[in-house]
Amino acid sequence: MTNQGQGLHARVLESLGPAITAGAYPPGSVLRTDELEERFDVSRTVVREVIRVLESMHLVASRRRVGVTVLPPEEWSVYDPNVIRWRLAGPDRPRQLRSLTVLRSAVEPVAAGLAARLATPAQCAELTEHALGMVATSRGQQLDAYLRHDIAFHRVVLRASGNEMFARLGDVVAEVLSGRTRHQVMFTDPDPAAVTLHVRVAEAVRAHDAARAEELTREIVTGAMAELDILAP
């Protein structure tokens, strides 16, 4: 596909995906390719490529003699980063954030405990680097820089757990953290207590203190849930 074709593909996808996840096309709705071609002023090839991507996310299904049908939410690929991002941009944002934060609370403390047992020296150094980066960018409304360190920190924890299933959740956690910043579901500056907890997690992992790493990480995700109670009830 040419660069122009990729641009058209992205434009249609970034319109249809959020519309479906926001409920603009209720489950059972039929998307007609000819209408989509006309609406977006694109070729049939572009529409088909977009439909294929939406099918891969289980947002739609193509059936002979029926067409492209919107699937119910329980069939969606809810761990797909695009689906997460689109849902966080929609009217169901508070419930989605809460659901994802509950997932984090179930996974990340356990991952941190495993990381304390299994992290390599290089991974320990990465954790420390990003924890200190969070400290350095936690004031003065440097939210974008803070977010980069925050995402990187949690990716390292999940990867250092040695569990490939946990590691694959790195993109999910990244979208949750990005969504909180993008949609201003957090305070102007990060909570100093949460920043300090990240530093202590890095220290616990480096000290191979699994119980402490798990306990501190549980405090982080509990704090994130408490923030939601205030900012996205």
Side-chain angles (χ1 to χ4, degrees):
M1 189 181 292
T2 64
N3 288 338
Q4 181 181 9
Q6 289 173 341
L8 294 171
H9 172 278
R11 177 170 63 83
V12 178
L13 184 64
E14 288 297 327
S15 178
L16 276 181
I20 291 171
T21 57
Y25 298 96
S29 300
V30 176
L31 306 179
R32 293 177 53 86
T33 55
D34 54 347
E35 291 177 357
L36 294 175
E37 290 170 39
E38 183 177 349
R39 174 185 166 190
F40 292 104
D41 191 24
V42 294
S43 68
R44 180 163 299 183
T45 300
V46 170
V47 170
R48 284 176 174 168
E49 284 295 324
V50 169
I51 294 302
R52 270 197 283 270
V53 173
L54 294 174
E55 281 186 295
S56 74
M57 300 174 181
H58 295 182
L59 296 182
V60 303
S62 296
R63 297 188 177 94
R64 187 174 295 178
R65 298 191 183 90
V66 176
V68 180
T69 306
V70 176
L71 295 174
E74 54 266 26
E75 295 193 36
W76 297 349
S77 296
V78 292
Y79 291 112
D80 186 290
N82 284 312
V83 174
I84 291 170
R85 177 165 51 84
W86 294 336
R87 294 180 78 186
L88 288 177
D92 201 28
R93 182 184 307 141
R95 191 175 71 85
Q96 172 74 348
L97 275 171
R98 195 167 299 279
S99 176
L100 290 163
T101 304
V102 169
L103 173 68
R104 290 184 62 198
S105 69
V107 170
E108 289 196 71
V110 177
L114 289 170
R117 297 185 182 97
L118 301 171
T120 66
Q123 288 169 331
C124 290
E126 278 188 85
L127 276 182
T128 300
E129 174 191 345
H130 292 301
L132 294 178
M134 291 172 70
V135 172
T137 56
S138 62
R139 287 289 173 267
Q141 299 182 35
Q142 303 179 69
L143 289 182
D144 287 342
Y146 179 87
L147 176 63
R148 287 194 294 273
H149 287 294
D150 197 9
I151 288 173
F153 181 95
H154 289 279
R155 282 190 187 278
V156 175
V157 170
L158 292 166
R159 195 170 66 248
S161 73
N163 183 299
E164 73 278 10
M165 306 295 283
F166 287 174
R168 288 298 298 271
L169 290 174
D171 288 344
V172 172
V173 173
E175 286 298 335
V176 178
L177 296 174
S178 296
R180 289 171 59 209
T181 301
R182 187 182 303 120
H183 301 294
Q184 300 177 325
V185 189
M186 62 181 299
F187 299 109
T188 305
D189 280 326
D191 178 13
V195 177
T196 300
L197 283 172
H198 284 76
V199 175
R200 290 179 177 166
V201 169
E203 292 170 347
V205 171
R206 192 169 63 246
H208 306 297
D209 188 340
R212 182 69 172 150
E214 182 169 344
E215 176 190 352
L216 291 166
T217 304
R218 198 171 302 283
E219 285 189 49
I220 290 173
V221 291
T222 298
M225 185 66 79
E227 276 192 11
L228 290 182
D229 291 338
I230 298 170
L231 298 169

